Structures are given as structure tokens and as C-alpha cells.
């Protein structure tokens, strides 16, 4: 069936003046400017998702609403081609790739409406699960599905795959918690299944669909074998094929349709929004790691653990424990274990009431003492210890994937059997790893549900490896189906298991699924090749290869976890996309396609290099610890010419005078702001935008020279390294603040604490301007001046160095880390220093009203965001951190070089902040304050300025 629709796709003329060009023109006219692209970089960047499949789309389309989605469907149908939907790109089974039209819904469809005080929530398909849960957290609720990728996966993907996770089982997965949805069918029919009149609307708008669903319902219910198979398979986690359990669970066609959309992977229609019933968050938790002599004993204990009320039972096999033991931060329990055949279960009890949890823990530790444990049971409520245990479980993927050989792909597979067969199934899988020469594989997963994941590293460019992979897959399918299990528990059928749906369900239910596909998508427009395939080897087609490129690129597993935190995600590319384009450039070179390699390289300059904020937020979520900013800095260094290098090295020698001159220029510009604005705009028409900043009238006057008395101050408790950004940019006029530098000095004096200033501080810098641009010579020249000055001022590290600009504090930390001779020096974000050292000596004399706080990428890296919030709460009892906060993308001067970067990065946070009036808007970095002021139209200031005003005598 899917073969016919796939062949249908290729009826279009693929020449540049042929059918694709006509379709692109039609879609652009319908959707508007910037919504349709055939550009090479856009197509190749979105060709990659978290799966090990790769198809390059001819067009990338970004509709903004459901009507535009319907228009895209209609246009593709008229053109005789297909389309595939994609959102977060975190799916693992190949269900979001295509070589025709890729419809990207990640940049839009992000609406969230919390209903009934959090008991229900209506969500668009482009919003991440993590963002929804952050909004629900205020109500003590969350979504039922709890996938490990919640920070990056979107609700659209969760619905399309019927996602579950570590806790929800089948009781609170997507299918079970879905209340209603709005679906757009390939025919253009739009149906809100939550509307009381949905049944009549479906009958009137799509009578053939209404009648066909009733016919299929009765067919399924009338076949005893089908009923038995459905009951057996859907008692487990099961995302193989279509959710035909809907024909048993619901009577009315509109409600059947809503549930059939769950797990349909965009092959039956587009889910424009979904309404869920939420589940409570249990705030009091006790966690423990139960170690057993072998996996059979571990899995055999699961029923008793479930009966005792554990919310989780996460399995780690012997190989997983060995990998975890290599981490120097692993819990002592694992580090001291001499692993032979051992296995472990990570268990957790949760409750709304602390006292009741304590009673449960006492009872459980007594009841479970008779289990065949290698070491006695111990449950901890300590947050640090609990985090350490979960770090083991969540770190397995990164530990194995990060250590894989260059040029290989990491495959994360997903199967389920009944709990009583789990131990033997795992033993058989382990034997299969040995037989097929996959020695590095580990098994872990959700033992509570009989659902385990295992990892393989494979090289698909090698024919022998391909043959091994095919043989292993066939053996694995035989094993799981022989145990009465499902080949996909929560990752979706996709392309990887579409060939095996008939084998799992039998001919009758497979034909029901095919008839369902023909009923809802009669012309095969939606995502052919996913869910159903009559080709027994289709899972071996279009596999991804990974050419060796460079260290930062080669480690990437293309999971997409980095994308939601990247400031350029809505304007150009994300870290994953930068990396995959680098791979595609290299692949093009290897196959001799120099034209494509050159085209990608040309487009990458702006999309990949110029608009990267090098903020490093990607590092905070990357499972294999890639900082794409390091890649960008290196590429900038390689591209920098000798003239620029000399100029920036010279700037390091006269930096003090340069910052004062910049300050004076900004002050002068305020007199006639239209003049510098026009001049810089004109200059940027002939000069590279990455070389000439754009002046805008929102920039403040210049700031004061860095003050203080150079040299030693008797009794000083810290060294004050005032950043040059305070000289370049003065305080925000509307706040009445004195600037962060003067605020810190005043606060220290008010608290009776002395500060010392390094010699020559006016000409010193943290080095970030050079490092971010890849100017290695200038950076080295500045470091050669800064490090000795800090060593002397801090008395060889005896005193902490405090800096009020978080990005500059981070820059100093990185500079010190580059030279072992200076690692005794300790640099502290001044906000954290004030919070820990001065706050209890600073009584509030004038409390502030509501305060909104913008954390920064540097406060995240330094771990000082909590201190930032704590200082704000010292002066106000109403403090908000926006759920949508993220790196502002100003990145030193990047917000002036590429203001579109900051505009896109701050848009979600600005929209949230605009929903309420605040008395003060604060952060802890001057350029971030500029970026948020520009985005919101509200005056942001340093939190220390607010504290200084609120504690004046």
C-alpha cells in the first residue's frame, strides 16, 4: 500500500523549472513570505531527526495555523505528492523524515491554555512537554506522559507516537489522558472532537469517514480473534501499528477518530491542538537503588515492588552498571560493587504528605527486606542523593553514545513483554548481543511495565555491518513476538518496524489498519512509509550514515535536546542543525558533489556561524556534552584574516581607552540619535553585518569609567573586578539605578565589607570579546595581563574575585581554567557573593512590588540563578521567573550585529512578561538587560541596583 503512494510522489518533475518550483510558488502564495523554502541548507538541516533514517525533503513548509495546514494538504494532493509532519524531531523510528514536502510545525502552534486550575490543559502541537509541565507546576499538576525527552519533544509528537515514559505506564499515557483534539483530515475537514456536536459534524462533513469508522468498529468487534489480540497487546505499552483498541473502547465515530489519531504518526491527519486531563505532582519523594545478583531476580521482584506502591522500577542490567561505575560521580553503592551478572532497579515512592511518605518508607523498608538483594534496601529523601541516583539512569544514553566509534550511529531500541517474561527476554537479548557482535550494548528501561530499551552502535555504510543489523533485527523480532510482546512500546512504529506490523497483529487486523489508512487518507498524501509497509525490507532503506568531520560534530547523536534552549532556533539554525549541515557538507565532498558542498558552506556562514550566540546553553542539555559554541568559535578563528587578528590583538593593548571611547560615543549619540542610526544602517549595506554593529535609539548613554583605588585595601574581603561593559553602557535611565558597579560598591560599604580593585582594572577584560570571535591572539594578550593582576590582588587566591556581570564572571572562570598556574583563584558572580555574604546585613527599607527576573545563560553555567532569585526575593515577596525565559541572544555585541537574533530569541519571554505589569525588571548582566529592554519595552536593570535602592538607609 505505501509503495504505491510512494511511487505516486515521484510523478512530479524534479527539475528546477518543473513541478517542485510550481508547488513552491503555490504554497508561498498561500502561506506568505518566509513560510516555504527549497534552499539547500533548510532542506538538509531538517532532513535529520533523532532516528537513524535520512531523507532530504524537496520543500520545507512552515504553516502558521490549521487553515494553512489544510491548504498545504490540498496543494500537495493537487500536485500528486505527499507530505510529512515534523515538530521536535526527537522521534527515534523514522516517522518524521521524507524526500517530498516536510511540514515543520515547531515554530508555530505553541499555544497553551491551562483549564480548571490545572486539571485540564489545551495545547498546540509545537510546544514542548517541558514547557507545558512548567506552566502546570504552578497548579501542582503535570501531563501524564513523561518521556525522557520532555525538554525537547513536543505535544504533537507525544500524540503522534502515543508517548508514555518512566512513570505513566498505560494508565496515564497519551491515549489514556487525552480528552479531545482538533484534527485536520487530508480532505480539509476540521473537527473538534470536544465539541458537543462533534458526532453530527463528522457525519455531515465526512459521511464516508463516519460510515467507514462504524463499519471497521463492527468488523473488529465481530471477530473474536481480533478482540483477543487487541486486549492482549494493548494491556501492554504498545505503539505498533494503529491504535485499533479505539474500536473496542469507544462507540461513537468522532471519539473513535480522536483516539485513532493517537499513535498514528501523522499518517491519518494533523492534530492542531489537544486537550488533556492532567495528573498531580507528588512533592514528597523517596528514592532507592535495589541491587540484585542477576536480572532474573531483579525482574522477578517487580510485581512485589509494584504492589508496595513504587511509582517507578527502572532497570539497569550488568552492562549498564559497569558503564555507570566509570563515572567518578556515581553513587558509592555502584562504585563499590564488583559487577558480575548483577542488575538494579531504581525505585521511587511519592506522596502529597511528608508524614505519610515517612510511614510508607518505614513500612516498605521492612516489607522488602526479604527480597533477594545483594545489599540491604535503603531509601533516601535527600535531594542531592536522589539526583545522583537518577543521574545514573539518565546518564546511560550519554555514556554509551558519547563513547561510540566515530562514524557510527547510536540506535536506541524499544520492546515490551509481560513482566513475568522480562527476565528471560533480557537474558536472550544479551545472548543475541554476543552472537551478533554488539559487545557495547546496554539494556535499561521501565521494568514496571515490562518495557526495556537497548542501545546498538552501528555503521550503516559498511555492507557487513548492514547484514549483521538485518540478522539481529530478524532474531529480535522472533524473540519478542515469540514471548507475546510488542516490537514498539513507546517510540512509535515509524519506518523501523512498519514491515513487521502484519507479523505482530496477523492478517485480519493488518487489513483493518490498511482499510483505515485508505478511509482517512485515500490518496496516500500523509507520511507514506511510516506505520504500514508491505515491503519486508523497507526498514533497511534510507539509513543514515555519519561521515567523520570533527570532534564536536562526530559525538552528536542528533537527539535534538539542544534545540529548545538555542536562541537562534526561530531565526536560522539550532546546534543540531549546525552539526548535521557540517556532516552534509562533508558527505557532499566525499561523493564529489562540490556544488552542493559550496552552496551549503555559503549559506552556513550566516545561518550557522554569524547567528550563533556561542552562549553554550546547548551544553547544559546535551547528553554527550557538546558545546556548539566551541565549534563556532573555532570556525570563526579559522575564518578570521590576519588583518583582523592584528587589529584585535592591538585592541587588547589599548582596551581601557577603547571602552572609554565607546562610552563617549554612546553618550554623544544620545544628542542626535538619528545620525548614528542612519550612518550604521548605511554602513551595513556595504560592510559585512558581522563587522559593523547597528546603533539603535534604545541604547543608553555610556557608563562611567571603572572606579576604585588600585592596589591593596586593608581588610578587604574580596577583589572587585568591575567589567568593561559597565563603562560602555550606562544604567537604564528609567530605573533610577546607579549602575551595577556602583551598586555593588555601595552595598559592600553598607554591609561593612571592604573591596579591593586589581591594578590597572580600567584596561582589563574577561576576554569574552576575543574568545567569542575566535581572536586567539588578542585573547592570549589580554589573559597575559588579567591573570597576574588577579593573582596579586587576590593574594594568590586567598580572596575571592567578584564580578557583577555574570557573563564576565563566566569569562574569567574560563580564562583561569586555561592556565593551571592560576587555578587557585576563585571567581564568583557578584550576585551570588552578595546573596551569600551581604544579604543578611542589608535590611530592606523600601520593599518593592512585583519583580520579574531574567536568568541568563551565564548564571545557568555558573549555577547562580538561585542566588539571582534570592536577591530579588529579599526586596519583594512577589517574584516571577518566566517559564519562557531563555538566552536573549544579545551575546555581547551580537545583538547589535544581528538584532534579528535577539528579537527571535526573546519573543516568547517578552510575550509572557507582557501579560502582567511589574514594579521592577531585573537580571544580572548588562547586555542581557539591554536585550530584554529592547524586547519588552520595559526597563531592565541589574538586580543589585534594585537591592541598592531598596536597602538605602
Amino acid at each position: 500500500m505505501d509503495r504505491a503512494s510512494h511511487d505516486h510522489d515521484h510523478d512530479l518533475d524534479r527539475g528546477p523549472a518543473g513541478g517542485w518550483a510550481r508547488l513552491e510558488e503555490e504554497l508561498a502564495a498561500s502561506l506568505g513570505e518566509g513560510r516555504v523554502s527549497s534552499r539547500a541548507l533548510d532542506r538538509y538541516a531538517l532532513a535529520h531527526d533523532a532516528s537513524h533514517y535520512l531523507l532530504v525533503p524537496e520543500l520545507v513548509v512552515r504553516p502558521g495555523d490549521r487553515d494553512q495546514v489544510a491548504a498545504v494538504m490540498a496543494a500537495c494532493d493537487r500536485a500528486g505528492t505527499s507530505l510529512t509532519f515534523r515538530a521536535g524531531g526527537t522521534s527515534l523510528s523514522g516517522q518524521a523524515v521524507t524526500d517530498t514536502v516536510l511540514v515543520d510545525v515547531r515554530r508555530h502552534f505553541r499555544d497553551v491554555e491551562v483549564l480548571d486550575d490545572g486539571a485540564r490543559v489545551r495545547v498546540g502541537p509545537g510546544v514542548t512537554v517541558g514547557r507545558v509541565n512548567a506552566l502546570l507546576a504552578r497548579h501542582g499538576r503535570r501531563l501524564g506522559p513523561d518521556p525522557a525527552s520532555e525538554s525537547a519533544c513536543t505535544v504533537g509528537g507525544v500524540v503522534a507516537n502515543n508517548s508514555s515514559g518512566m512513570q505513566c505506564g498505560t494508565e496515564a499515557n497519551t491515549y489514556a489522558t487525552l480528552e479531545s483534539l482538533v484534527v485536520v483530515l487530508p480532505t480539509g475537514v476540521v473537527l473538534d472532537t470536544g465539541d458537543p456536536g462533534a458526532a453530527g459534524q463528522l457525519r455531515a462533513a465526512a459521511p464516508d469517514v463516519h460510515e467507514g469508522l462504524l463499519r471497521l468498529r463492527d468488523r473488529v468487534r465481530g471477530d473474536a480473534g481480533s478482540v483477543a489480540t487487541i486486549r492482549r497487546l494493548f494491556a501492554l505499552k504498545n505503539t505498533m501499528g494503529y491504535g485499533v483498541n479505539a474500536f473496542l473502547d469507544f462507540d461513537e465515530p468522532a471519539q473513535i477518530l480522536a483516539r485513532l489519531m493517537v499513535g498514528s504518526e501523522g499518517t491519518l491527519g494533523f492534530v492542531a491542538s489537544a486537550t488533556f486531563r492532567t495528573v498531580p505532582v507528588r512533592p514528597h519523594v523517596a528514592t532507592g537503588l535495589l541491587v540484585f545478583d542477576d536480572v532474573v531476580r531483579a525482574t522477578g521482584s517487580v510485581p512485589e515492588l509494584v504492589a508496595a506502591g513504587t511509582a517507578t522500577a527502572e532497570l539497569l542490567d550488568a552492562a549498564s552498571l559497569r558503564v555507570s561505575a566509570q563515572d567518578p560521580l556515581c553513587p558509592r553503592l555502584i562504585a563499590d560493587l564488583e559487577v558480575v551478572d548483577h542488575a538494579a532497579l531504581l525505585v521511587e515512592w511519592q506522596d502529597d504528605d511528608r508524614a505519610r511518605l515517612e510511614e510508607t518508607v518505614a513500612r516498605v523498608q521492612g516489607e522488602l527486606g526479604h527480597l533477594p538483594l545483594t545489599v540491604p534496601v535503603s531509601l533516601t529523601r535527600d535531594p542531592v542523593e536522589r539526583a545522583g541516583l537518577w543521574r545514573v539512569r539518565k546518564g546511560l544514553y550519554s555514556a554509551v553514545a558519547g563513547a561510540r566509534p566515530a562514524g557510527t550511529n547510536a540506535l536506541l531500541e524499544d520492546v515490551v513483554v509481560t513482566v513475568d517474561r522480562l527476565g528471560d527476554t533480557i537474558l536472550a537479548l544479551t545472548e543475541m548481543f554476543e552472537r551478533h557482535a554488539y559487545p557495547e550494548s546496554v539494556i535499561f528501561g521501565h521494568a514496571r511495565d515490562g518495557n526495556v530499551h537497548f542501545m546498538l552502535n552501528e555503521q550503516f555504510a559498511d555492507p557487513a555491518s548492514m547484514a549483521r543489523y538485518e540478522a539481529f533485527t530478524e532474531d529480535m523480532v522472533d524473540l519478542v513476538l515469540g514471548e507475546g510482546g510488542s516490537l514498539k512500546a513507546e517510540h512509535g512504529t515509524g519506518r523501523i518496524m512498519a514491515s513487521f506490523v502484519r507479523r505482530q497483529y496477523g492478517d485480519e487486523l493488518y487489513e483493518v489498519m490498511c482499510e483505515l489508512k485508505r478511509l482517512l487518507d485515500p490518496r496516500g498524501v500523509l507520511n507514506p512509509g511510516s506505520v504500514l509497509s508491505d515491503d519486508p525490507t523497507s526498514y533497511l532503506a534510507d539509513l543514515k550514515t555519519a561521515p567523520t568531520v570533527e570532534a564536536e560534530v562526530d559525538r552528536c547523536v542528533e537527539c535534538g535536546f539542544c534545540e529548545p534552549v538555542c536562541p537562534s532556533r526561530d531565526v536560522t539554525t539550532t546546534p543540531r542543525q549546525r552539526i548535521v549541515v557540517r556532516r552534509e557538507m562533508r558527505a557532499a565532498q566525499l561523493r564529489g558533489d562540490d556544488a552542493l558542498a559550496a552552496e551549503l558552506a555559503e549559506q552556513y556562514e550566516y545561518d550557522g556561524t554569524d547567528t550563533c550566540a556561542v552562549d553554550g546553553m546547548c551544553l547544559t542539555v546535551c547528553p554527550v556534552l557538546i558545546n556548539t559554541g566551541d565549534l563556532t568559535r573555532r570556525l570563526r578563528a579559522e575564518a578570521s584574516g590576519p588583518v583582523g587578528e592584528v587589529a584585535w590583538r592591538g585592541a587588547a593593548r589599548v582596551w581601557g581607552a577603547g571602552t572609554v571611547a565607546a562610552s563617549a560615543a554612546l553618550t554623544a549619540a544620545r544628542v542626535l540619535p538619528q545620525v548614528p542610526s542612519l550612518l550604521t544602517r548605511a554602513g551595513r549595506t556595504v560592510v559585512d553585518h558581522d563587522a559593523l554593529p547597528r546603533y539603535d535609539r534604545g541604547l543608553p548613554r555610556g557608563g562611567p569609567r571603572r572606579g576604585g583605588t588600585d592596589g591593596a585595601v586593608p581588610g578587604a574581603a574580596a577583589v572587585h573586578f568591575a567589567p568593561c561593559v559597565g563603562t560602555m553602557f550606562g544604567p537604564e535611565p528609567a530605573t533610577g539605578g546607579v549602575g551595577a558597579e556602583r551598586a555593588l560598591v555601595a552595598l559592600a560599604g553598607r554591609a561593612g565589607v571592604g573591596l579591593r580593585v586589581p591594578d590597572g582594572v580600567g584596561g582589563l577584560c574577561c576576554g569574552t570579546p576575543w574568545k567569542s570571535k575566535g581572536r586567539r591572539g588578542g585573547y592570549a594578550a589580554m589573559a597575559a595581563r588579567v591573570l597576574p593582576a588577579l593573582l596579586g590582588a587576590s593574594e594568590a587566591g586567598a580572596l575571592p574575585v567578584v564580578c557583577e556581570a555574570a557573563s564576565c564572571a563566566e569569562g574569567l572562570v574560563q580564562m583561569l581554567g586555561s592556565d593551571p598556574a592560576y587555578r587557585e583563584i576563585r571567581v564568583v558572580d557578584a550576585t551570588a557573593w552578595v546573596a551569600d555574604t551581604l544579604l543578611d546585613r542589608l535590611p530592606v527599607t523600601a520593599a518593592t512590588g512585583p519583580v520579574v527576573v531574567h536568568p541568563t545563560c551565564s548564571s545557568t553555567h555558573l549555577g547562580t540563578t538561585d542566588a539571582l532569585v534570592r536577591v530579588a526575593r529579599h526586596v519583594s515577596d512577589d517574584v516571577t521567573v518566566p517559564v519562557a525565559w531563555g538566552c536573549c541572544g544579545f551575546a555581547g555585541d551580537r545583538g547589535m550585529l544581528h538584532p534579528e537574533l535577539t528579537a527571535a530569541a526573546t519573543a516568547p519571554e517578552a510575550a509572557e512578561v507582557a501579560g502582567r505589569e511589574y514594579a521592577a525588571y531585573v537580571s544580572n548582566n548588562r547586555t542581557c538587560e539591554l536585550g530584554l529592554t529592547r524586547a519588552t519595552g520595559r526597563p531592565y536593570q541589574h538586580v543589585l541596583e534594585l537591592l541598592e535602592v531598596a536597602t538605602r538607609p
Side-chain angles (χ1 to χ4, degrees), residues 778-797:
Y779 182 80
M782 180 57 72
R785 296 171 56 200
V786 171
L787 296 179
L790 293 183
L791 187 68
S794 68
E795 298 176 8

Side-chain angles (χ1 to χ4, degrees), residues 623-850:
V624 292
L625 303 179
I626 297 173
N627 184 346
T628 316
D630 292 340
L631 169 64
T632 298
R633 280 186 284 264
R634 182 171 58 75
L635 294 177
R636 288 174 183 169
E638 293 171 358
S640 64
V643 175
E645 185 66 31
V646 170
W648 276 90
R649 190 181 298 115
R653 291 193 292 270
V654 295
W655 192 246
T659 57
V660 171
S663 173
L666 282 173
T667 299
R670 296 288 293 180
V671 178
L672 291 171
Q674 65 272 22
V675 174
S677 179
L678 290 172
L679 287 176
T680 56
R681 285 177 182 269
R684 285 162 63 87
T685 64
V686 294
V687 176
D688 183 2
H689 285 197
D690 214 47
L692 179 62
R694 191 182 87 182
Y695 177 82
D696 73 73
R697 301 184 185 193
L699 292 174
R701 294 174 178 271
R705 292 172 182 260
R706 286 182 272 185
T709 303
D710 290 354
V713 173
V719 176
H720 180 199
F721 187 96
C724 51
V725 70
T727 297
M728 294 183 188
F729 301 107
E732 203 63 41
T735 65
V738 297
E741 177 187 348
R742 292 182 176 179
L744 176 60
V745 172
L747 291 168
R750 201 169 292 163
V753 175
L755 294 174
R756 174 181 299 172
V757 177
D759 290 336
V761 69
L764 302 182
C765 177
C766 67
T768 299
W770 292 267
K771 187 174 184 179
S772 66
K773 296 177 184 299
R775 304 295 185 178
R776 295 169 178 167
Y779 182 80
M782 180 57 72
R785 296 171 56 200
V786 171
L787 296 179
L790 293 183
L791 187 68
S794 68
E795 298 176 8
L799 299 179
V801 177
V802 299
C803 180
E804 61 269 24
S807 65
C808 301
E810 183 189 5
L812 290 172
V813 169
Q814 293 172 347
M815 183 181 284
L816 290 165
S818 66
D819 191 332
Y822 297 96
R823 289 182 181 172
E824 295 301 318
I825 301 173
R826 183 168 63 96
V827 173
V828 183
D829 178 357
T831 304
W833 182 74
V834 168
D836 295 337
T837 308
L838 306 185
L839 213 54
D840 58 357
R841 310 183 204 181
L842 298 170
V844 174
T845 57
T848 307

Side-chain angles (χ1 to χ4, degrees), residues 90-112:
T90 59
S91 295
L92 294 161
S93 300
Q95 55 267 67
V97 298
T98 182
D99 58 357
T100 56
V101 177
L102 186 68
V103 182
D104 177 17
V105 301
R106 182 181 62 85
R107 290 193 182 180
H108 305 287
F109 300 97
R110 294 178 181 169
D111 293 339
V112 180

